[in-house]
CSV table of all heavy atoms in Angstrom, one decimal:
chain,number,residue,atom,x,y,z
A,87,GLU,N,115.6,106.9,130.5
A,87,GLU,CA,115.7,107.2,131.9
A,87,GLU,C,114.7,108.5,132.2
A,87,GLU,O,114.1,108.4,133.3
A,87,GLU,CB,117.1,107.7,132.2
A,87,GLU,CG,117.9,106.4,132.4
A,87,GLU,CD,119.5,106.8,132.7
A,87,GLU,OE1,119.8,108.1,132.7
A,87,GLU,OE2,120.3,105.9,132.7
A,88,LEU,N,114.7,109.4,131.3
A,88,LEU,CA,113.8,110.6,131.5
A,88,LEU,C,112.4,110.2,131.6
A,88,LEU,O,111.6,110.5,132.4
A,88,LEU,CB,114.0,111.7,130.5
A,88,LEU,CG,113.2,113.0,130.7
A,88,LEU,CD1,113.4,113.7,131.9
A,88,LEU,CD2,113.4,113.9,129.4
A,89,PHE,N,112.1,109.3,130.6
A,89,PHE,CA,110.6,108.8,130.4
A,89,PHE,C,110.2,108.0,131.7
A,89,PHE,O,109.1,108.3,132.2
A,89,PHE,CB,110.6,107.9,129.2
A,89,PHE,CG,109.2,107.3,129.0
A,89,PHE,CD1,108.2,108.0,128.4
A,89,PHE,CD2,108.9,106.0,129.4
A,89,PHE,CE1,106.9,107.5,128.4
A,89,PHE,CE2,107.6,105.4,129.2
A,89,PHE,CZ,106.6,106.2,128.6
A,90,ASP,N,111.1,107.2,132.1
A,90,ASP,CA,110.7,106.3,133.4
A,90,ASP,C,110.5,107.2,134.6
A,90,ASP,O,109.7,107.0,135.5
A,90,ASP,CB,111.8,105.3,133.7
A,90,ASP,CG,111.7,104.1,132.6
A,90,ASP,OD1,110.7,104.0,131.8
A,90,ASP,OD2,112.7,103.4,132.5
A,91,LYS,N,111.4,108.3,134.7
A,91,LYS,CA,111.4,109.2,135.9
A,91,LYS,C,110.0,109.9,135.8
A,91,LYS,O,109.3,110.1,136.8
A,91,LYS,CB,112.6,110.1,135.9
A,91,LYS,CG,112.6,111.1,137.0
A,91,LYS,CD,113.8,112.0,136.8
A,91,LYS,CE,113.6,113.1,136.0
A,91,LYS,NZ,113.6,114.4,136.3
A,92,ASN,N,109.7,110.5,134.7
A,92,ASN,CA,108.5,111.3,134.5
A,92,ASN,C,107.2,110.4,134.7
A,92,ASN,O,106.2,110.9,135.2
A,92,ASN,CB,108.5,112.0,133.2
A,92,ASN,CG,109.4,113.2,133.2
A,92,ASN,OD1,109.8,113.7,134.3
A,92,ASN,ND2,109.9,113.6,132.0
A,93,VAL,N,107.2,109.2,134.2
A,93,VAL,CA,106.0,108.4,134.3
A,93,VAL,C,105.9,108.0,135.7
A,93,VAL,O,104.7,108.0,136.2
A,93,VAL,CB,106.2,107.0,133.5
A,93,VAL,CG1,105.2,106.0,133.8
A,93,VAL,CG2,106.1,107.4,131.9
A,94,ALA,N,106.9,107.6,136.5
A,94,ALA,CA,106.8,107.4,137.9
A,94,ALA,C,106.2,108.6,138.7
A,94,ALA,O,105.3,108.4,139.6
A,94,ALA,CB,108.1,107.0,138.5
A,95,ALA,N,106.7,109.8,138.4
A,95,ALA,CA,106.2,111.0,139.1
A,95,ALA,C,104.7,111.2,138.7
A,95,ALA,O,103.8,111.5,139.5
A,95,ALA,CB,107.0,112.2,138.6
A,96,ALA,N,104.3,110.9,137.4
A,96,ALA,CA,103.0,111.2,137.0
A,96,ALA,C,102.0,110.2,137.6
A,96,ALA,O,100.9,110.5,138.1
A,96,ALA,CB,102.9,110.9,135.4
A,97,ARG,N,102.5,108.9,137.8
A,97,ARG,CA,101.6,107.9,138.4
A,97,ARG,C,101.4,108.2,139.9
A,97,ARG,O,100.3,108.0,140.3
A,97,ARG,CB,102.4,106.6,138.2
A,97,ARG,CG,101.4,105.4,138.1
A,97,ARG,CD,102.0,104.1,138.0
A,97,ARG,NE,100.9,103.1,137.8
A,97,ARG,CZ,100.1,102.8,138.7
A,97,ARG,NH1,100.2,103.2,140.0
A,97,ARG,NH2,99.1,102.0,138.5
A,98,ALA,N,102.4,108.7,140.5
A,98,ALA,CA,102.3,109.1,141.9
A,98,ALA,C,101.3,110.2,142.0
A,98,ALA,O,100.5,110.3,142.9
A,98,ALA,CB,103.7,109.5,142.6
A,99,ALA,N,101.3,111.2,141.2
A,99,ALA,CA,100.4,112.4,141.2
A,99,ALA,C,99.0,111.9,140.9
A,99,ALA,O,98.0,112.2,141.6
A,99,ALA,CB,100.8,113.4,140.2
A,100,LEU,N,98.8,110.9,140.0
A,100,LEU,CA,97.5,110.5,139.6
A,100,LEU,C,97.0,109.6,140.7
A,100,LEU,O,95.7,109.7,141.1
A,100,LEU,CB,97.6,109.6,138.3
A,100,LEU,CG,96.4,109.2,137.6
A,100,LEU,CD1,95.4,110.5,137.3
A,100,LEU,CD2,96.7,108.6,136.2
A,101,ALA,N,97.9,108.8,141.4
A,101,ALA,CA,97.4,107.9,142.5
A,101,ALA,C,96.7,108.7,143.7
A,101,ALA,O,96.0,108.0,144.4
A,101,ALA,CB,98.5,107.0,142.8
A,102,GLY,N,97.2,109.9,143.8
A,102,GLY,CA,96.8,110.7,145.0
A,102,GLY,C,95.6,111.6,144.8
A,102,GLY,O,95.3,112.4,145.5
A,103,VAL,N,95.0,111.6,143.5
A,103,VAL,CA,94.1,112.6,143.2
A,103,VAL,C,92.6,112.1,143.4
A,103,VAL,O,92.4,110.9,143.2
A,103,VAL,CB,94.3,113.1,141.7
A,103,VAL,CG1,93.7,112.1,140.7
A,103,VAL,CG2,93.7,114.5,141.5
A,104,SER,N,91.8,113.0,143.8
A,104,SER,CA,90.4,112.7,144.0
A,104,SER,C,89.5,113.1,142.9
A,104,SER,O,90.0,114.0,142.1
A,104,SER,CB,89.9,113.3,145.4
A,104,SER,OG,89.8,114.7,145.2
A,105,ASP,N,88.3,112.5,142.8
A,105,ASP,CA,87.4,112.9,141.7
A,105,ASP,C,87.1,114.3,141.8
A,105,ASP,O,86.9,115.1,140.8
A,105,ASP,CB,86.1,112.1,141.7
A,105,ASP,CG,86.4,110.6,141.1
A,105,ASP,OD1,87.6,110.3,140.9
A,105,ASP,OD2,85.4,109.9,140.9
A,106,GLU,N,87.0,114.8,143.0
A,106,GLU,CA,86.6,116.3,143.3
A,106,GLU,C,87.7,117.1,142.7
A,106,GLU,O,87.5,118.1,142.0
A,106,GLU,CB,86.4,116.4,144.8
A,106,GLU,CG,85.9,117.8,145.2
A,106,GLU,CD,85.9,118.0,146.6
A,106,GLU,OE1,86.4,117.1,147.4
A,106,GLU,OE2,85.6,119.1,147.1
A,107,SER,N,88.9,116.8,143.0
A,107,SER,CA,90.1,117.6,142.6
A,107,SER,C,90.2,117.5,141.0
A,107,SER,O,90.6,118.6,140.4
A,107,SER,CB,91.4,117.0,143.2
A,107,SER,OG,92.5,117.7,142.6
A,108,LEU,N,89.8,116.4,140.4
A,108,LEU,CA,89.9,116.3,138.9
A,108,LEU,C,88.9,117.2,138.2
A,108,LEU,O,89.1,117.6,137.1
A,108,LEU,CB,89.7,114.8,138.4
A,108,LEU,CG,90.8,113.8,138.7
A,108,LEU,CD1,90.3,112.4,138.5
A,108,LEU,CD2,91.8,114.2,137.7
A,109,ALA,N,87.9,117.7,139.0
A,109,ALA,CA,86.9,118.5,138.3
A,109,ALA,C,87.2,120.0,138.6
A,109,ALA,O,86.6,120.8,138.0
A,109,ALA,CB,85.5,118.2,139.0
A,110,LYS,N,88.2,120.3,139.3
A,110,LYS,CA,88.7,121.7,139.5
A,110,LYS,C,89.3,122.4,138.4
A,110,LYS,O,89.9,121.7,137.5
A,110,LYS,CB,89.6,121.8,140.7
A,110,LYS,CG,89.0,121.5,142.1
A,110,LYS,CD,89.8,122.0,143.2
A,110,LYS,CE,89.0,121.8,144.5
A,110,LYS,NZ,89.7,121.4,145.6
A,111,PRO,N,89.0,123.7,138.2
A,111,PRO,CA,89.5,124.4,137.0
A,111,PRO,C,91.0,124.5,137.0
A,111,PRO,O,91.7,124.7,138.1
A,111,PRO,CB,88.8,125.6,137.0
A,111,PRO,CG,88.5,125.9,138.4
A,111,PRO,CD,88.2,124.5,139.0
A,112,TRP,N,91.6,124.4,135.8
A,112,TRP,CA,93.1,124.6,135.7
A,112,TRP,C,93.3,125.5,134.4
A,112,TRP,O,92.6,125.4,133.4
A,112,TRP,CB,93.7,123.2,135.5
A,112,TRP,CG,95.2,123.2,135.4
A,112,TRP,CD1,96.1,122.9,136.4
A,112,TRP,CD2,96.1,123.5,134.3
A,112,TRP,NE1,97.3,122.8,136.0
A,112,TRP,CE2,97.4,123.2,134.6
A,112,TRP,CE3,95.9,123.9,132.9
A,112,TRP,CZ2,98.5,123.4,133.8
A,112,TRP,CZ3,96.9,124.0,132.1
A,112,TRP,CH2,98.3,123.8,132.5
A,113,SER,N,94.3,126.5,134.5
A,113,SER,CA,94.4,127.4,133.5
A,113,SER,C,95.9,127.3,132.9
A,113,SER,O,96.9,127.2,133.7
A,113,SER,CB,94.3,128.9,134.0
A,113,SER,OG,92.9,129.0,134.4
A,114,LEU,N,96.0,127.4,131.5
A,114,LEU,CA,97.2,127.6,130.9
A,114,LEU,C,97.5,129.1,130.5
A,114,LEU,O,96.5,129.7,130.0
A,114,LEU,CB,97.3,126.8,129.6
A,114,LEU,CG,98.7,126.9,128.9
A,114,LEU,CD1,99.7,126.0,129.7
A,114,LEU,CD2,98.6,126.3,127.5
A,115,LEU,N,98.6,129.6,130.9
A,115,LEU,CA,98.8,131.0,130.7
A,115,LEU,C,100.1,131.2,129.8
A,115,LEU,O,100.9,130.3,129.7
A,115,LEU,CB,99.1,131.8,132.0
A,115,LEU,CG,98.0,131.8,133.0
A,115,LEU,CD1,98.0,130.7,134.0
A,115,LEU,CD2,98.0,133.2,133.8
A,116,SER,N,100.3,132.4,129.2
A,116,SER,CA,101.4,132.7,128.5
A,116,SER,C,101.8,134.2,128.8
A,116,SER,O,100.8,135.0,128.5
A,116,SER,CB,101.3,132.5,127.0
A,116,SER,OG,102.5,132.9,126.4
A,117,GLY,N,102.9,134.5,129.5
A,117,GLY,CA,103.2,135.9,129.8
A,117,GLY,C,102.2,136.5,130.7
A,117,GLY,O,101.9,137.7,130.6
A,118,GLY,N,101.6,135.6,131.6
A,118,GLY,CA,100.6,136.2,132.6
A,118,GLY,C,99.2,136.2,132.1
A,118,GLY,O,98.2,136.4,132.8
A,119,LYS,N,99.0,136.0,130.8
A,119,LYS,CA,97.6,136.1,130.1
A,119,LYS,C,97.1,134.6,129.9
A,119,LYS,O,97.8,133.6,129.5
A,119,LYS,CB,97.8,136.7,128.8
A,119,LYS,CG,96.5,137.3,128.2
A,119,LYS,CD,96.8,138.0,127.0
A,119,LYS,CE,95.6,138.0,126.1
A,119,LYS,NZ,95.8,137.8,124.7
A,120,THR,N,95.8,134.5,130.3
A,120,THR,CA,95.2,133.1,130.3
A,120,THR,C,94.8,132.8,128.9
A,120,THR,O,94.3,133.5,128.2
A,120,THR,CB,93.9,133.1,131.1
A,120,THR,OG1,94.2,133.5,132.5
A,120,THR,CG2,93.2,131.8,131.1
A,121,ILE,N,95.4,131.6,128.5
A,121,ILE,CA,95.0,131.1,127.2
A,121,ILE,C,93.7,130.2,127.1
A,121,ILE,O,92.9,130.3,126.3
A,121,ILE,CB,96.2,130.2,126.6
A,121,ILE,CG1,97.5,131.0,126.5
A,121,ILE,CG2,95.9,129.6,125.2
A,121,ILE,CD1,98.7,130.1,126.1
A,122,PHE,N,93.6,129.4,128.2
A,122,PHE,CA,92.4,128.6,128.4
A,122,PHE,C,92.2,128.2,129.8
A,122,PHE,O,93.2,128.0,130.6
A,122,PHE,CB,92.2,127.4,127.4
A,122,PHE,CG,93.2,126.3,127.7
A,122,PHE,CD1,93.1,125.5,128.7
A,122,PHE,CD2,94.2,126.1,126.7
A,122,PHE,CE1,94.0,124.4,128.9
A,122,PHE,CE2,95.1,125.1,126.9
A,122,PHE,CZ,95.0,124.3,128.0
A,123,THR,N,91.1,127.9,130.2
A,123,THR,CA,90.8,127.2,131.5
A,123,THR,C,89.9,125.9,131.3
A,123,THR,O,88.9,126.1,130.6
A,123,THR,CB,90.1,128.2,132.5
A,123,THR,OG1,90.9,129.4,132.7
A,123,THR,CG2,89.8,127.6,133.9
A,124,LEU,N,90.3,124.8,131.8
A,124,LEU,CA,89.6,123.5,131.6
A,124,LEU,C,89.7,122.8,133.0
A,124,LEU,O,90.6,123.1,133.8
A,124,LEU,CB,90.2,122.7,130.6
A,124,LEU,CG,90.2,123.1,129.1
A,124,LEU,CD1,91.0,122.2,128.3
A,124,LEU,CD2,88.7,122.9,128.7
Side-chain angles (χ1 to χ4, degrees):
E87 280 174 7
L88 179 65
F89 178 77
D90 289 343
K91 182 179 83 116
N92 285 338
V93 167
R97 212 178 183 286
L100 193 53
V103 80
S104 65
D105 285 11
E106 189 191 359
S107 174
L108 283 166
K110 289 201 170 137
W112 187 98
S113 299
L114 184 71
L115 296 92
S116 182
K119 202 174 152 220
T120 302
I121 300 173
F122 66 72
T123 300
L124 286 171

